[in-house]
């Protein structure tokens, strides 16, 4: 995670790269691409939120009750250790895309 600011304009942000940890999570189950995309976005949001809260413990974020999946959950500790999983019906189309209007 890398924070950044622009000197002469009121813009700041955070760059998060999940390369190795996300490959490990993705290899644990045969996730459809759309679910992997949403899971990655949830992980990044959870990391950013956890990094901005001053506490010791873990933050859990969960999405549920969607027509494309039963739930997607991510967990991030104050040391920025993460994990994530999802439960979805085996009948979910493997080509499912992260279309937020229908998923």
């Amino acid at each position: 995670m890398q924070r950044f600011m622009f000197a002469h304009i009121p813009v700041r942000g955070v760059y998060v790269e999940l390369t190795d940890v996300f490959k490990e999570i993705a290899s644990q189950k045969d996730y459809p691409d759309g679910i992997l995309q949403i899971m990655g976005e949830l992980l990044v949001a959870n990391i950013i939120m956890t990094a901005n809260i001053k506490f010791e413990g873990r933050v859990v974020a969960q999405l549920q009750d969607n027509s494309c999946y039963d739930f997607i959950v991510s967990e991030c500790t104050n040391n920025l250790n993460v994990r994530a999983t999802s439960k979805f019906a085996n009948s979910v189309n493997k080509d499912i895309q992260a279309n937020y209007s229908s998923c």
Side-chain angles (χ1 to χ4, degrees), residues 2-6 11-15:
Q2 178 66 46
R3 297 176 192 274
F4 62 88
M5 276 194 324
F6 293 97
V11 175
R12 63 183 183 163
V14 178
Y15 173 78

Side-chain angles (χ1 to χ4, degrees), residues 18-33:
L18 295 176
T19 310
D20 295 335
V21 71
F22 194 64
K23 285 180 185 176
E24 180 68 26
I25 290 168
S27 72
Q28 301 296 315
K29 193 186 273 189
D30 188 22
Y31 293 109
D33 289 343

Side-chain angles (χ1 to χ4, degrees), residues 15-58:
Y15 173 78
V16 177
E17 186 172 337
L18 295 176
T19 310
D20 295 335
V21 71
F22 194 64
K23 285 180 185 176
E24 180 68 26
I25 290 168
S27 72
Q28 301 296 315
K29 193 186 273 189
D30 188 22
Y31 293 109
D33 289 343
I35 288 179
L36 279 175
Q37 180 180 342
I38 295 169
M39 187 183 302
E41 292 171 1
L42 187 62
L43 272 168
V44 169
N46 202 353
I47 289 167
I48 292 169
M49 184 170 51
T50 303
N52 285 301
I53 299 173
K54 307 294 185 219
F55 81 112
E56 288 190 24
R58 67 189 91 206

